[in-house]
Amino acid sequence: MSINMGLSDEQRTAMAAAVTAVLADTYALYFKTHVYHWNVTGPRFHDLHLLFEQQYNELWLATDLIAERVRALDFKAPASYSAMAAAGTVSSEGKAQKADVMIADLLRGHEAVVATIRKALALAATNGDDATSDVLSPRLTAHEKYAWMLRSTLG
C-alpha cells in the first residue's frame, strides 16, 4: 500500500530512524530511573525516591507517544531490549550506587536524550515533518526540565 502523508519514503525512513533513537534513549532512561527509584538509599531517600518515581512514570507514558509516532510513519517500533539498545545511545544499566552518583548519571542521561531529540527535530524541520516536531518538542522541554531539577538537586 502506498503511503501518502506528504513525506517521501526516504524522508519517512530517516524520520522513523530518528524517532526510534529518541524512543530507545527514552526507554533506557525510563528503565534506569526506575532501577534507581528502587535502589536509592541514604538521608535523602524519601525525596529522591519520589523524584525518581515522578520521572520514571512520565518517561513510561512518553514511550507510548513516541512509539506511536514511529508507527504513524509506517515503521515498527523496536521489539526487544537488544533492538532498543542498538537504536539508542543511553545505557539502561543502573548499578546500585550512592545517591549523588545516581543523580549525576540520570542528569547525563537526560542531557543525552536532549541531544538525540535536537537531532531529530533538526531533521524534522529539514523534512517539513511538523507532526514529528509536535511529538518531540514537548519531550525536549520535559528532559531539559528534568536535567535542571537533577542539576539543582546536586547543588
Side-chain angles (χ1 to χ4, degrees), residues 70-138:
V70 174
R71 294 296 296 131
L73 290 162
D74 201 40
F75 287 82
K76 299 283 187 188
S80 68
Y81 286 118
S82 60
M84 281 287 194
T89 61
V90 175
S91 168
S92 64
E93 188 174 345
K95 295 180 182 177
Q97 43 201 321
K98 299 224 180 264
D100 281 351
V101 177
M102 290 178 176
I103 296 165
D105 189 30
L106 293 177
L107 171 58
R108 284 189 301 276
H110 283 283
E111 290 173 339
V113 178
V114 164
T116 303
I117 292 170
R118 286 191 185 283
K119 288 178 191 171
L121 284 170
L123 186 61
T126 298
N127 289 328
D129 185 355
D130 294 336
T132 294
S133 294
D134 288 347
V135 171
L136 296 184
S137 290

Side-chain angles (χ1 to χ4, degrees), residues 1 3-5 7 12-13 15-21 23 62-79 84 129 131-132 135:
M1 173 186 292
I3 306 294
N4 184 12
M5 58 190 303
L7 299 172
R12 283 187 314 97
T13 299
M15 290 313 310
V19 176
T20 297
L23 174 62
T63 60
D64 193 53
L65 296 172
I66 300 164
E68 287 174 355
R69 183 62 194 153
V70 174
R71 294 296 296 131
L73 290 162
D74 201 40
F75 287 82
K76 299 283 187 188
M84 281 287 194
D129 185 355
T132 294
V135 171

Side-chain angles (χ1 to χ4, degrees), residues 11-64:
Q11 288 172 317
R12 283 187 314 97
T13 299
M15 290 313 310
V19 176
T20 297
V22 174
L23 174 62
D25 281 354
T26 302
Y27 193 87
L29 189 56
Y30 151 75
F31 187 84
K32 182 185 299 196
T33 305
H34 208 153
V35 168
Y36 287 164
H37 163 81
W38 293 328
N39 293 317
V40 68
T41 60
R44 297 180 296 164
F45 164 80
H46 185 263
D47 290 339
L48 292 176
H49 188 74
L50 291 176
L51 177 64
F52 296 165
E53 182 176 17
Q54 173 193 16
Q55 290 186 5
Y56 80 69
N57 280 327
E58 196 276 338
L59 289 166
W60 177 249
L61 294 173
T63 60
D64 193 53

